[in-house]
Amino acid sequence: MLKRRLYTPGPTEVPERVLKALSMQTIYHRSEEFKATLTYLRQALSRLFKTDGEVIILTSSGTGAMEAAVAGLFDEGDTAVVVEGGKFGQRWGQICQAFKVKSATLKIKWGSSPDVEQLEELVKKTPEAKGILVQICETSTGTYYDIKKIGEIAKKYDKLLIADGITAFGVYDIPVDEWGIDVAITGSQKALMTPPGLSVLSLSERALRSLVSRGYYFNLQRELKAQKKGQTAYTPAVNLFMALSEALKMMEEEGFENVFKRHERLASAMRAGVKAMGLSLFSENPANSVTAVKAPEGINGQDVVKTAKELFGVTIAGGQEHLKGKIFRLSHMGYVDILDVISQLVVVGQSLAKLGFEADVSAAVDAAFKAYGG
Ligand SMILES: *Cc1c(COP(=O)(O)O)cnc(C)c1O
């Protein structure tokens, strides 16, 4: 028998308390009980985002919120500046295309984060752009972007800033209002410790003023009107709302600041362990949610993923697109503690050994505990 362990950068493992909330009898979405849950969720998420703006929760995966943001803020023929440094940056471009929004794209090397001067240059050169579409963590490369600096550019040139923080919220302290993020986006299945199916977005004053009413299901105006009254426009995934509410309660019990600190320590432990094993990080600016590791010379990253699954029942993620086989990704966001980091290091080391690469597993474990601190 092998216990199954899920260490992909979404979905992530779900705590028992949240699973229990998920399994309760479904309730009516026009009831007082649901209204109380939705109200709590919108308030707790505003606290997590540190925003006085409006929060909307959608029944969709994270991409649904990305689509709702593009459709809700850009008319046909409008222009957006897009940062493309990985698979999710590409997704912004594809959504723009689907909604006939023109994009001016800053293409950067996968694994790097945008050079702020280059971005400023492009924004300056694109005066017609209504906003900037960017990730906070580009999950496909395990890279953190300096969203605070990007916020300064958006402010300077009076552009809306729409930030996909799907693997950043619940990991980092991202004060949305202070840093000038007009639309902040996250999803239930990453750091929020809940199964896939819900996405979240916040809207600043400026975003609210800029709303165009496009789309039907993903119509932010209609949805906001309902959510202000403690309802959703259509039947939501009621049980997932109950589950997300339990997850946020757990995070508030731990304290958001402690949650952020835990993620920072876990990420340091993972990075230290990976390096001590003789491996190197793929990203130039590694994120605290997921660590992308270069597959060693002569070893296919997909084989590491496969071996980890076969030998240990552990699911880690490979690379996407042209990074397939070149990297593998280890997740440490959400319901994760130091032993989750240690077990991934051990599993990776043992899998690599099986594939012919001598990894120093005990050095990795020591380094990880040391970096994690007491
Ligand atoms: C997971 C993720 C998404 C959303 O993907 P879905 O599969 O639609 O939930 C978007 N952006 C980033 C950065 C992500 O990590």
Side-chain angles (χ1 to χ4, degrees):
M1 186 278 271
L2 284 175
K3 279 196 191 178
R4 286 198 306 187
R5 290 178 166 88
L6 179 61
Y7 293 130
T8 57
T12 61
E13 287 190 349
V14 178
E16 284 79 6
R17 263 176 73 178
V18 176
L19 290 173
K20 202 169 159 209
L22 188 68
S23 71
M24 302 307 280
Q25 185 57 265
T26 297
I27 61 168
Y28 183 42
H29 60 292
R30 307 291 181 210
S31 64
E32 283 305 313
E33 195 184 347
F34 182 77
K35 187 174 171 177
T37 301
L38 179 57
T39 305
Y40 165 71
L41 271 176
R42 293 185 70 226
Q43 287 169 352
L45 288 162
S46 321
R47 290 191 285 272
L48 175 64
F49 284 14
K50 298 189 174 158
T51 181
D52 293 326
E54 295 288 350
V55 170
I56 297 177
I57 304 155
L58 299 169
T59 293
S60 76
S61 82
T63 307
M66 294 170 76
E67 172 163 336
V70 171
L73 289 161
F74 296 86
D75 246 324
E76 205 173 305
D78 282 351
T79 302
V81 167
V82 174
V83 175
E84 188 193 302
K87 193 164 172 65
F88 294 103
Q90 277 181 345
R91 189 166 300 177
W92 275 135
Q94 288 160 358
I95 296 172
C96 285
Q97 215 170 17
F99 285 87
K100 299 195 164 60
V101 173
K102 293 179 201 142
S103 46
T105 306
L106 179 69
K107 278 197 191 185
I108 58 174
K109 197 178 99 206
W110 287 33
S112 70
S113 40
D115 179 289
V116 186
E117 274 149 40
Q118 268 180 9
L119 179 62
E120 178 162 2
E121 207 46 44
L122 178 61
V123 171
K124 218 190 313 188
K125 254 186 19 205
T126 322
E128 70 278 18
K130 195 175 173 189
I132 303 172
L133 301 172
V134 67
Q135 270 60 47
I136 302 178
C137 289
E138 176 49 81
T139 316
S140 61
T141 66
T143 304
Y144 179 76
Y145 292 175
D146 190 344
I147 194 67
K148 187 179 181 200
K149 287 236 175 73
I150 296 171
E152 287 163 12
I153 296 171
K155 197 167 173 190
K156 185 168 167 194
Y157 294 90
D158 196 28
K159 306 294 178 199
L160 288 165
L161 178 57
I162 296 118
D164 163 7
I166 297 181
T167 53
F169 287 102
V171 174
Y172 288 94
D173 186 6
I174 312 279
V176 163
D177 290 359
E178 194 186 317
W179 289 0
I181 301 171
D182 293 290
V183 181
I185 296 173
T186 194
S188 56
Q189 83 276 27
K190 309 273 172 109
L192 298 188
M193 312 192 292
T194 301
L198 297 182
S199 64
V200 178
L201 39 82
S202 71
L203 297 167
S204 69
E205 272 294 327
R206 204 152 64 113
L208 288 169
R209 282 198 306 274
S210 314
L211 281 184
V212 295
S213 195
R214 282 219 286 172
Y216 188 85
Y217 183 78
F218 291 115
N219 184 304
L220 293 178
Q221 275 172 343
R222 187 176 303 140
E223 199 56 52
L224 181 60
K225 200 171 149 212
Q227 298 206 2
K228 276 180 164 175
K229 290 187 282 197
Q231 302 225 340
T232 51
Y234 311 103
T235 316
V238 171
N239 299 58
L240 283 173
F241 276 67
M242 308 314 264
L244 183 59
S245 161
E246 192 63 27
L248 277 156
K249 276 180 200 146
M250 286 179 69
M251 291 171 79
E252 293 212 284
E253 283 164 21
E254 183 176 354
F256 288 136
E257 305 308 313
N258 296 326
V259 171
F260 307 145
K261 228 172 277 157
R262 172 166 55 85
H263 281 86
E264 195 182 315
R265 293 172 66 198
L266 291 171
S268 315
M270 183 63 93
R271 294 191 284 257
V274 163
K275 287 182 198 156
M277 219 188 291
L279 300 170
S280 44
L281 305 178
F282 175 72
S283 176
E284 290 170 14
N285 191 25
N288 285 351
S289 39
V290 54
T291 297
V293 183
K294 284 187 196 162
E297 216 32 65
I299 288 180
N300 186 322
Q302 293 302 111
D303 290 337
V304 181
V305 175
K306 214 170 124 213
T307 309
K309 180 77 184 184
E310 280 169 9
L311 293 185
F312 301 102
V314 164
T315 308
I316 58 171
Q320 295 160 295
E321 310 266 320
H322 67 271
L323 295 180
K324 199 167 187 149
K326 302 260 187 342
I327 63 167
F328 51 89
R329 291 173 300 151
L330 309 171
S331 171
H332 31 83
M333 67 185 130
Y335 186 51
V336 173
D337 66 12
I338 185 63
L339 288 184
D340 292 304
V341 169
I342 299 294
S343 48
Q344 289 186 75
L345 288 167
V346 172
V347 164
V348 164
Q350 296 290 346
S351 300
L352 284 169
K354 182 94 183 167
L355 295 166
F357 176 86
E358 274 313 311
D360 193 341
V361 175
S362 47
V365 171
D366 283 346
F369 272 120
K370 206 162 161 206
Y372 184 70

